[in-house]
Amino acid sequence: DTAVSQTPKYLVTQMGNDKSIKCEQNLGHDTMYWYKQDSKKFLKIMFSYNNKELIINETVPNRFSPKSPDKAHLNLHINSLELGDSAVYFCASSPFRSGGTQYFGPGTRLTVL
Amino acid sequence: SQELEQSPQSLIVQEGKNLTINCTSSKTLYGLYWYKQKYGEGLIFLMMLQKGGEEKSHEKITAKLDEKKQQSSLHITASQPSHAGIYLCGADGVVQGAQKLVFGQGTRLTINP
């Protein structure tokens, strides 16, 4: 009965490839997020979706495209992967658009070779 | 933009000792979240503080928000190996009606037996 789940947990790929990460929450929350944690452990928001609508886009390169088929799912597709994309990507959800505690998934460690 | 500075960046303590982690904000805090991250896992929500002078406790962990709402501290009493991990503070904010959390750089806690 995992609250926020992500797949895959690990992703190793070559530069230039395209990959996707999936996220699902069973908390009934309206809002979902993607965060990137770099090698120095800085955790920064990338995107925020509310009921399938994009509400925050933190100047992330166009190669990153989030998609929310319904409010329980938020996927992240990355085109033309670069070395600098290597990081841990976390999905999170919160009850409301404007606040509430965010609950995080276990993370996806992406390594670009 | 709001920035959070955590200190210390890393901490090694003997099991059974008390310790404190600080989180200082560049602006007034309207909400402050504490999370714990274990290696290979997602962020686990610990506590959320909103009011100046507020203090919350969960088991052996106590978090406080100062009266001026610019600094928070996390205190662990009689530390145990299970307390080891990375502690992150996150400032609550709203951008265009949407919640945006800004995180500190994290404090890595090691507990020596």
Side-chain angles (χ1 to χ4, degrees):
Chain A
D1 58 344
T2 305
V4 183
S5 58
Q6 292 179 231
T7 53
K9 191 159 185 179
Y10 300 97
L11 195 48
V12 181
T13 188
Q14 299 285 335
M15 261 195 326
N17 284 351
D18 303 337
K19 289 294 177 186
S20 292
I21 306 171
K22 295 186 176 182
C23 177
E24 177 181 359
Q25 56 96 1
N26 62 7
L27 297 167
H29 288 170
D30 284 347
T31 312
M32 296 184 73
Y33 310 81
W34 278 112
Y35 286 85
K36 179 180 180 181
Q37 186 177 46
D38 62 24
S39 57
K40 293 184 179 180
K41 301 297 182 188
F42 275 103
L43 188 65
K44 289 189 178 177
I45 188 167
M46 300 172 69
F47 300 104
S48 170
Y49 266 77
N50 182 257
N51 274 324
K52 304 192 295 177
E53 177 195 356
L54 178 66
I55 51 175
I56 289 180
N57 181 340
E58 283 289 296
T59 58
V60 177
N62 291 339
R63 299 182 295 103
F64 290 79
S65 51
K67 283 192 172 63
S68 182
D70 56 60
K71 77 173 192 177
H73 296 85
L74 179 62
N75 303 322
L76 183 65
H77 188 76
I78 315 170
N79 290 326
S80 303
L81 278 155
E82 299 177 358
L83 293 176
D85 296 333
S86 295
V88 182
Y89 292 85
F90 287 101
C91 176
S93 73
S94 68
F96 313 112
R97 171 187 176 127
S98 59
T101 300
Q102 291 189 19
Y103 292 90
F104 285 76
T108 295
R109 183 175 293 275
L110 171 66
T111 303
V112 182
L113 303 175
Chain B
S1 61
Q2 188 163 27
E3 291 182 358
L4 295 181
E5 181 77 26
Q6 286 186 236
S7 62
Q9 290 191 22
S10 74
L11 191 53
I12 302 173
V13 300
Q14 205 72 26
E15 184 177 351
K17 297 292 186 186
N18 301 338
L19 63 106
T20 300
I21 298 168
N22 293 304
C23 175
T24 302
S25 174
S26 59
K27 296 183 179 181
T28 301
L29 291 161
Y30 293 101
L32 190 284
Y33 292 84
W34 282 101
Y35 287 87
K36 178 187 174 185
Q37 182 181 13
K38 285 198 162 183
Y39 182 76
E41 298 179 22
L43 278 67
I44 300 165
F45 169 68
L46 295 175
M47 278 170 276
M48 190 263 189
L49 305 162
Q50 271 186 307
K51 299 176 184 174
E54 186 175 10
E55 181 175 318
K56 287 186 178 177
S57 293
H58 176 68
E59 297 179 345
K60 294 185 178 180
I61 301 177
T62 300
K64 299 179 187 178
L65 183 60
D66 75 340
E67 289 288 346
K68 291 184 179 179
K69 296 173 65 175
Q70 282 204 274
Q71 187 168 42
S72 178
S73 61
L74 187 84
H75 184 77
I76 299 177
T77 304
S79 58
Q80 299 168 351
S82 61
H83 289 130
I86 299 172
Y87 289 82
L88 291 145
C89 60
D92 204 359
V94 177
V95 174
Q96 296 177 335
Q99 184 187 37
K100 179 180 171 182
L101 287 185
V102 173
F103 286 91
Q105 78 274 38
T107 295
R108 184 182 294 273
L109 174 62
T110 303
I111 308 292
N112 282 338

